[in-house]
Amino acid sequence: MKKFLNKAKSAFDEHLDGAGGRGQQQVPMQEGQSSIQPPTPKDVTRFRYHHGCNMGSVFILEKWLTGSMFPDGAPGSSELAAAEAWVKKEGMDHARQRFEKHWREYVSDGDLDWLRDHGKCTTIRLPIGYFTLGPPYCEKTPFRKVADVYQNAWHAVQQLVQRCHQRGIGVLIDLHGLPGGANAQEHSGTNSNKAELWSSSRDKDLATRCLLFIAQQARNMEGVAGMQIINEAEHGADAKGMYEWYDHVISEVQKIDAGLPIYISDAWVLDKAASWSQGHNSIKGRCNPVVVDIHCYWCFGDDDKRKSPQEITHEASNQLSKLDGKDGSVVDHGAAQAIVGEYSCVLGEESWAKGGGNKDDLVRQFGNAQSQRYQQRAGGSFFWTYRMDWMPGGEWGFKQMTDSRAIIPPVSLTLSSGDVHQRIQGAQSQQQQSKQNAVGAHTHYWDTNHPGQYEHWRFEQGWDVGFHDAMTFLGMRGQAEQSGGDKIGMLDLWVLKRLRESGQGGKFMWEFEQGLRQGVKDFYSAAGV
């Protein structure tokens, strides 16, 4: 496979060195210099379709998931409640040792092997808190008295990221718990029942410092798929100044690593967040690629409890429709890329009671609908959750839902390395005919239906880049002797990256984009994935 991909790389380089024109059509001299290079392993880690899960209650404890980490009588259900209770019960040193053992052992090598081999995970979302970064980030916060518990917490994060990377699994580092709380829930780290981040400049400043630390550290960490700067921001007016703070964080992270994907919360309003992200994900901009994180649950609201499983399954089949008209044309309005950072197969008992059928079948139908829809319309999806005390977790458990075939990985991830190789060879044998068909259809449509002056050589260039990019993504796992193949899931952001690198300008850049997208599509059609 490695020899085969090197041959593909040579063909890719030859294409980039050439004029890229159609016979009589030449590239204008005023075009900028292209910096496009073949996709790297880091590119694949960041821009593939992310099929995975949240890691679980590891660095941010939630009592309902990990009751074993709370001593009897602990006055609360949050990370802070557990840390304070253990320090009071057995002293700082023993409490620190207890937490370090949990960070080190709760996710075993067997767990990670299962996620790779059976879960077919490409990526996991790893929730951490500001306190996870160590004592300097706990000063003047509710964690100040237990700060020493976290002396080695960040090192434990680094070790877990490394262990995942050794298995070909990327990690989205998720700053889940922010100072003051981005929301009032216990998963922000305390039981304060307040979302004070939005009203406190000091908390926002500390949160920014935390994110800059993570960005700086991530530059030297293999396997980091991105950084999520916030989890479940409060809805609407309750998150005062949210987008201004997003702007500030992104501008500062850009100075450290402008290539690191930044994930934001949609604050439960996807269309507004997607529109905002398009301003950052523009061709003329050079800031970090921005991804919108949405969470999909149908088990909490009273309105959902009045629905049947069949009604909810139908809703799931149409999720993310608010992206329609926002993604798919980066030249026109910037990139809009969303992922589903949390979802489950849980419904309220009131809903299940309305199902009128076998619950296992209804769960499977619900999970299948989510899997299929997210793979169609999102750049990735992360089930909530994996690791908990009560494995395999029922409808909250990625392991149980995967084993029961409710959650289905993309087909390309289930292929053997030999099958991937054969499919790539088959696609290569069809490449010239596919290109000829695509270019012919494109030129015929525009020259016939909208006669005028075009630069169709841009479409050809884009098609070549798209076809080779898709082929390289699919074959990258084979270089590490791993089964399965990755697809370009974060397609809008990948197109944005290629447009920025292309050196192209002028009013016909859209032809390059259309060609690139068609090349990706044609490769997948030829490869049968």
Side-chain angles (χ1 to χ4, degrees):
M1 177 68 79
K2 190 175 295 185
K3 181 179 179 182
F4 169 75
L5 285 174
N6 286 336
K7 182 179 179 181
K9 179 181 183 300
S10 296
F12 189 96
D13 291 338
E14 287 175 11
H15 157 69
L16 294 178
D17 291 338
R22 292 180 60 216
Q24 74 276 16
Q25 292 180 312
Q26 298 299 316
V27 182
M29 293 301 293
Q30 67 269 24
E31 290 293 303
Q33 185 67 38
S34 171
S35 61
I36 291 178
Q37 295 295 322
T40 65
K42 179 184 285 187
D43 289 331
V44 174
T45 298
R46 290 177 170 180
F47 294 97
R48 62 187 167 189
Y49 182 83
H50 301 298
H51 177 72
C53 59
N54 288 268
M55 188 56 89
S57 187
V58 183
F59 293 101
I60 288 195
L61 299 177
E62 296 182 51
K63 192 172 184 177
W64 72 285
L65 292 172
T66 44
S68 62
M69 281 297 290
F70 290 77
D72 292 340
S77 55
S78 65
E79 172 86 21
L80 180 62
E84 288 181 336
W86 283 117
V87 169
K88 181 178 180 180
K89 182 179 178 67
E90 57 188 12
M92 186 66 72
D93 288 344
H94 284 95
R96 181 172 61 250
Q97 292 169 14
R98 178 181 295 275
F99 275 69
E100 289 177 357
K101 184 175 188 293
H102 178 74
W103 302 329
R104 185 173 59 250
E105 299 179 4
Y106 198 58
V107 178
S108 69
D109 286 344
D111 286 320
L112 296 180
D113 290 344
W114 185 90
L115 290 171
R116 176 194 61 200
D117 298 334
H118 299 279
K120 303 300 180 182
C121 286
T122 67
T123 320
I124 60 101
R125 181 172 180 253
L126 182 62
I128 66 172
Y130 65 93
F131 39 85
T132 312
L133 307 184
Y137 298 90
C138 297
E139 296 174 3
K140 298 180 181 180
T141 77
F143 281 83
R144 63 190 180 278
K145 293 182 180 179
V146 294
D148 284 349
V149 169
Y150 301 95
Q151 285 180 6
N152 301 309
W154 177 249
H155 180 63
V157 171
Q158 291 176 305
Q159 288 182 316
L160 183 52
V161 172
Q162 182 181 30
R163 290 166 61 204
C164 289
H165 176 65
Q166 289 170 348
R167 293 166 173 80
I169 299 173
V171 177
L172 170 59
I173 300 176
D174 164 31
L175 191 60
H176 207 79
L178 280 82
N183 57 65
Q185 306 303 312
E186 65 183 13
H187 51 68
S188 286
T190 76
N191 290 111
S192 71
N193 298 316
K194 297 177 182 178
E196 296 179 313
L197 174 72
W198 308 114
S199 60
S200 170
S201 59
R202 186 177 70 181
D203 285 339
K204 288 179 186 173
D205 289 344
L206 176 56
T208 302
R209 281 179 49 216
C210 291
L211 292 163
L212 297 182
F213 172 82
I214 295 170
Q216 186 68 52
Q217 293 283 302
R219 292 185 63 186
N220 300 312
M221 294 167 62
E222 291 185 303
V224 175
M227 177 176 70
Q228 182 156 351
I229 67 175
I230 192 169
N231 173 68
E232 291 189 354
E234 287 285 87
H235 184 280
D238 292 331
K240 184 178 179 181
M242 179 182 73
Y243 285 110
E244 291 80 1
W245 182 67
Y246 286 177
D247 286 333
H248 174 64
V249 170
I250 292 170
S251 68
E252 293 300 308
V253 172
Q254 180 184 353
K255 299 173 186 176
I256 297 171
D257 183 358
L260 179 68
I262 301 295
Y263 290 64
I264 64 162
S265 168
D266 72 337
W268 309 102
V269 186
L270 172 57
D271 51 351
K272 184 176 182 179
S275 295
W276 175 87
S277 72
Q278 288 173 297
H280 285 274
N281 294 331
S282 66
I283 299 171
K284 294 181 180 179
R286 286 294 182 267
C287 75
N288 299 70
V290 176
V291 186
V292 179
D293 169 38
I294 75 166
H295 293 177
C296 299
Y297 290 118
W298 284 269
C299 57
F300 297 118
D302 290 338
D303 287 345
D304 288 328
K305 292 176 183 178
R306 287 190 281 268
K307 299 170 186 173
S308 69
Q310 291 87 348
E311 290 174 305
I312 292 172
T313 296
H314 178 73
E315 284 187 20
S317 299
N318 294 283
Q319 195 70 347
L320 293 144
S321 60
K322 291 182 179 178
L323 285 177
D324 295 349
K326 294 185 184 296
D327 63 350
S329 184
V330 175
V331 168
D332 287 338
H333 42 58
Q337 191 74 66
I339 58 100
V340 180
E342 294 183 18
Y343 72 105
S344 75
C345 289
V346 178
L347 298 180
E349 289 305 318
E350 301 92 333
S351 291
W352 293 126
K354 297 177 177 66
N358 180 278
K359 182 180 177 182
D360 288 343
D361 291 338
L362 294 172
V363 170
R364 191 174 300 110
Q365 292 164 14
F366 179 39
N368 287 179
Q370 291 191 85
S371 294
Q372 292 163 7
R373 181 58 173 172
Y374 303 155
Q375 288 166 30
Q376 285 177 342
R377 293 299 285 122
S381 56
F382 300 86
F383 193 92
W384 185 275
T385 190
Y386 179 68
R387 197 65 179 89
M388 59 186 79
D389 285 353
W390 36 286
M391 296 285 285
E395 287 92 50
W396 285 112
F398 181 68
K399 187 176 192 303
Q400 185 164 334
M401 291 299 94
T402 298
D403 286 342
S404 67
R405 299 293 294 163
I407 301 304
I408 306 170
V411 171
S412 65
L413 295 175
T414 67
L415 303 175
S416 69
S417 57
D419 196 357
V420 170
H421 180 70
Q422 289 179 352
R423 287 169 186 260
I424 291 175
Q425 282 189 316
Q428 275 199 315
S429 70
Q430 302 173 53
Q431 180 177 349
Q432 291 306 314
Q433 186 63 53
S434 294
K435 178 180 177 179
Q436 183 177 334
N437 293 343
V439 173
H442 174 82
T443 56
H444 176 76
Y445 174 83
W446 289 103
D447 293 345
T448 302
N449 294 291
H450 305 278
Q453 183 66 37
Y454 294 101
E455 295 176 355
H456 295 318
W457 58 267
R458 295 184 189 271
F459 182 90
E460 288 192 60
Q461 275 196 344
W463 193 95
D464 285 336
V465 172
F467 191 94
H468 283 94
D469 284 349
M471 179 172 64
T472 304
F473 267 69
L474 192 69
M476 189 68 75
R477 286 172 172 265
Q479 295 193 54
E481 299 182 353
Q482 295 174 350
S483 63
D486 287 305
K487 295 179 69 175
I488 306 172
M490 313 284 271
L491 184 58
D492 243 35
L493 288 180
W494 184 254
V495 170
L496 172 64
K497 183 176 187 293
R498 286 318 207 187
L499 284 167
R500 287 176 173 176
E501 294 169 341
S502 70
Q504 297 197 19
K507 64 180 182 179
F508 294 106
M509 283 184 72
W510 61 270
E511 292 202 71
F512 181 87
E513 177 176 359
Q514 285 197 3
L516 195 155
R517 291 180 183 274
Q518 189 64 47
V520 171
K521 182 179 179 181
D522 287 347
F523 172 81
Y524 291 144
S525 177
V529 293

